[in-house]
Amino acid sequence: MNDTFKALSDPTRRQIIQLLKERDLSAGEIAEQFSISKPSISHHLSILKNAKLIDDERQGQSIIYSLNMTVFQETLGWFLGMMGTKGDESQ
């Protein structure tokens, strides 16, 4: 889970996630939304992929990126569990 939080700590990576929330995109389509170099976008995508927040799939000569909702659900479950345990201490 540390990789997840590290990946989400960067505003550019959070913006990439917001873009992928709308629809699956190629690296080029993602890069068009930023004023940073393509290698920098590739680095951000690599960090998101290593944290398993995004998936990639080759389609012809393009790689299409999509959100991995399973990790988001697990992280949300962890947060909700943390909130729930605090209220259960009095029982």
Side-chain angles (χ1 to χ4, degrees), residues 13-89:
R13 292 191 286 270
R14 290 194 304 268
Q15 191 172 352
I16 290 170
I17 292 204
Q18 286 294 324
L19 291 170
L20 292 174
K21 188 176 85 169
E22 301 297 321
R23 66 184 180 96
D24 298 350
L25 297 167
S26 69
E29 291 171 320
I30 293 168
E32 289 172 1
Q33 305 297 315
F34 296 90
S35 59
I36 60 177
S37 69
K38 288 185 180 185
S40 292
I41 291 295
S42 181
H43 176 72
H44 286 297
L45 290 170
S46 178
I47 290 171
L48 290 168
K49 187 176 167 190
N50 288 339
K52 298 186 171 97
L53 290 167
I54 63 172
D55 294 317
D56 63 345
E57 179 182 336
R58 181 165 292 282
Q59 293 182 2
Q61 292 190 352
S62 297
I63 297 176
I64 304 300
Y65 292 90
S66 60
L67 288 182
N68 179 356
M69 293 307 295
T70 302
V71 173
F72 285 102
Q73 291 167 347
E74 289 171 359
T75 305
L76 181 59
W78 180 82
F79 274 116
L80 293 175
M82 292 298 291
M83 291 173 39
T85 56
K86 191 171 186 179
D88 293 339
E89 290 175 4

